[in-house]
Amino acid sequence: MRDPVYTYCREILPPSVVEHATSLSFTRPGACNLALARGNLLEVYEVGLVMKKSDDEVPSAEYEYRDAGAEEFDLPMIREDQTAPGQRSKNTKQPQLHLIGRWSLHGKIMDLRAVQRGKAQGVDRLLLSFAEAKMSLVAFDADTQSIATESIHYYEHDALKQRTFNDGQTCDLRTDPEGRCAALRLYDDQLAVLPFAAPGDLTAAKPYADSFVVNLRDAGIGVRNVRDFVFLSGYLEPTLALLHEQDPTWPGRAEEAVDTCSVTIVSLDLGRNSVSILNAASKLPYDCRTLLPVPEPVGGVMVFASSSITHVANGAISCISLLNHAAKHGIGASMQNYLDETNVDLELVLDPCGS
């Protein structure tokens, strides 16, 4: 008699919530594609302009479902021309989303990033991360009209695992704006760096090089409790900004320690598989959560906290914009000279916040 077979997990309805999105030229050179991650589903759309015979009808919702069979979506809030509705001609072009493909993957997508390859190579790639410490580089195959996996990187080794409570939350992906490498945060304070071939280098046998793992605690820089990290532009080598808290605290200890966060700028040496510190800024509010890189010529990063926004450039704090009156209680005495109270009457709260 055969043993009974039991279903471990059965999907009744496909995921409907979009958790990650990015734009890229994925299907062909010059294409305007939108990649969405819905749980374990990966969807790729193409934005195209279609002729509309009449512009008099106003949709009742911001996004109108057009045709279930064709998988097309109207975007009535985005128009090619900016003229008034009564002055538009009857035949106008309107952007529309066309579904290119939908694929069910073997695991929930934890993060999604575009790997920009530049105009020389034409098409971009997608970099996906999966729990608990995996990432995959995929490309679009024009012959089969489907995705093709170019590489799978697995870091779930016992030597890399640490006894932390945040192992399931550290699958964040970041890509260098110059297309030189990507970084996956795994097991709290470790980074898996995946170098890419130079854009336009047709002699490379594969579009990536061997990856390596950097332990930020043991790499000679002493960074621990990383909360967020981003790549910065305008540097000769890939450069990361790390938001971390060396001495963790919480609101109950606000009387003793309120300025415990720091931003450390590190440079990645892809040839030697090492990192080095460029500069650092400390004494930031304890509730800082998110980083946002600022492009040139201003440069630096914006640090978002629950009640304030701080600009850090070249290892120094430029200003701390307070968003409510309670923000003063989270700023240390040494940072009082950098306070900007222009927006304090807005009474805004950025908790939780994302950039």
Side-chain angles (χ1 to χ4, degrees), residues 4 19 47 49 73 83 87 102 104 110 137-138 155 162 193 230 254 267 281 286 291 307 314 316:
E19 297 175 309
V47 180
L49 295 176
F73 298 86
T83 57
Q87 300 176 357
R102 179 188 291 121
S104 178
M110 304 300 295
L137 184 67
V138 299
Y155 304 99
Q162 300 177 357
V193 181
V230 293
S267 177
Y286 71 94
L291 294 178
S307 304
N314 298 324

Side-chain angles (χ1 to χ4, degrees), residues 89-109:
S89 60
K90 294 184 178 180
N91 296 328
T92 59
K93 291 183 178 181
Q94 181 172 320
Q96 194 175 75
L97 286 178
H98 303 268
L99 180 65
I100 301 299
R102 179 188 291 121
W103 302 275
S104 178
L105 308 181
H106 297 284
K108 181 182 177 181
I109 301 174

